[in-house]
Amino acid sequence: MTLENKLCRVSICSEEEIPAEESDTAGKYDCIYNPDAYTESDFYNVFSISVSVGKHRYSMALIGDGNSCDTNCAVLDGTELTVLQGWDVFRFDLETGRIVKHGSVDSRGTNFAIFALNGGFLVYGEIDITMLDRELEPVWSFSGHDIFFSNSGKTAFEIKEDRICLYDFLDYYYEIDFDGRLIAEVKSRADSKAEGSRPKE
């Protein structure tokens, strides 16, 4: 994925090989981050992050969970980059290339994407939808009857102007507001309403 504003441009893609931990002997990366000390025998993914800040260009490797996806994995705000990688969330100061904040998402399944929302960050996960505040602390989470994946071709996750719309594997449809409260829940195939699960405190 590529993100760009008036101050900087960032491109993120997945790499198959883990770089050297102490130094990148091939010269591909200027910074290598491996917070959980993954090795070649582990199930890992490498985010290759290319950064342009003004005339300054450099590259970073972020090594993390093998289930992480490089689509919708980051949010750019000025010279700050917030990256979701598995259950970890990192904030980078792109002027220095350093991690300035590290948070985690306490979800029960794989996390797919992160979005800026209401001054914080919304994380779309397989089992949980999680809201983080600006400091990457959890605010609320919401789960349904099954994983948020539609087996009938519907859009499983969508952020609208004033709500979040979801479908799960059992074809339940949910609408929640930006505070994690359930607005509506419908069993799509039967077109019958059911009592909704409530967001976790």
Side-chain angles (χ1 to χ4, degrees):
M1 71 177 298
T2 298
L3 301 168
E4 187 171 9
N5 59 27
K6 293 181 179 179
L7 299 174
C8 49
R9 186 177 190 274
V10 179
S11 294
I12 304 174
C13 63
S14 293
E15 297 284 346
E16 294 183 357
E17 294 185 4
I18 195 167
E21 293 190 27
E22 296 300 325
S23 63
D24 181 26
T25 55
K28 184 174 182 178
Y29 299 108
D30 299 291
C31 311
I32 298 173
Y33 295 104
N34 189 2
D36 295 320
Y38 281 86
T39 68
E40 291 183 352
S41 61
D42 295 322
F43 181 53
Y44 66 87
N45 191 9
V46 179
F47 282 174
S48 177
I49 306 173
S50 299
V51 180
S52 296
V53 182
K55 296 182 179 179
H56 182 40
R57 292 173 172 78
Y58 63 93
S59 60
M60 303 184 291
L62 180 62
I63 306 165
D65 179 69
N67 288 308
S68 54
C69 176
D70 61 5
T71 303
N72 294 321
C73 67
V75 173
L76 179 63
D77 181 15
T79 58
E80 290 185 340
L81 181 71
T82 302
V83 180
L84 172 71
Q85 192 175 41
W87 288 266
D88 292 305
V89 185
F90 302 95
R91 178 173 297 142
F92 289 89
D93 176 353
L94 295 181
E95 293 183 303
T96 63
R98 294 182 178 178
I99 295 173
V100 294
K101 194 77 177 177
H102 178 204
S104 62
V105 183
D106 186 21
S107 59
R108 295 166 291 166
T110 302
N111 295 303
F112 301 127
I114 187 170
F115 303 92
L117 183 68
N118 284 2
F121 302 95
L122 187 73
V123 176
Y124 164 38
E126 180 182 30
I127 297 176
D128 302 289
I129 307 300
T130 305
M131 186 69 191
L132 306 176
D133 65 17
R134 176 69 186 168
E135 299 305 310
L136 309 184
E137 295 293 331
V139 178
W140 56 259
S141 67
F142 176 86
S143 58
H145 294 281
D146 209 313
I147 62 173
F148 291 118
F149 175 83
S150 174
N151 64 354
S152 56
K154 300 181 179 73
T155 301
F157 173 88
E158 185 178 7
I159 301 174
K160 294 193 175 181
E161 185 177 348
D162 61 349
R163 64 193 62 198
I164 302 157
C165 302
L166 305 157
Y167 279 97
D168 70 12
F169 192 76
L170 298 177
D171 216 27
Y172 279 87
Y173 170 73
Y174 311 88
E175 291 183 356
I176 58 176
D177 66 17
F178 293 155
D179 292 317
R181 293 187 292 255
L182 185 68
I183 300 170
E185 178 181 338
V186 177
K187 182 67 168 73
S188 300
R189 290 173 180 165
D191 196 27
S192 61
K193 293 185 178 180
E195 290 188 9
S197 56
R198 292 295 186 266
K200 295 179 288 186
E201 299 296 332

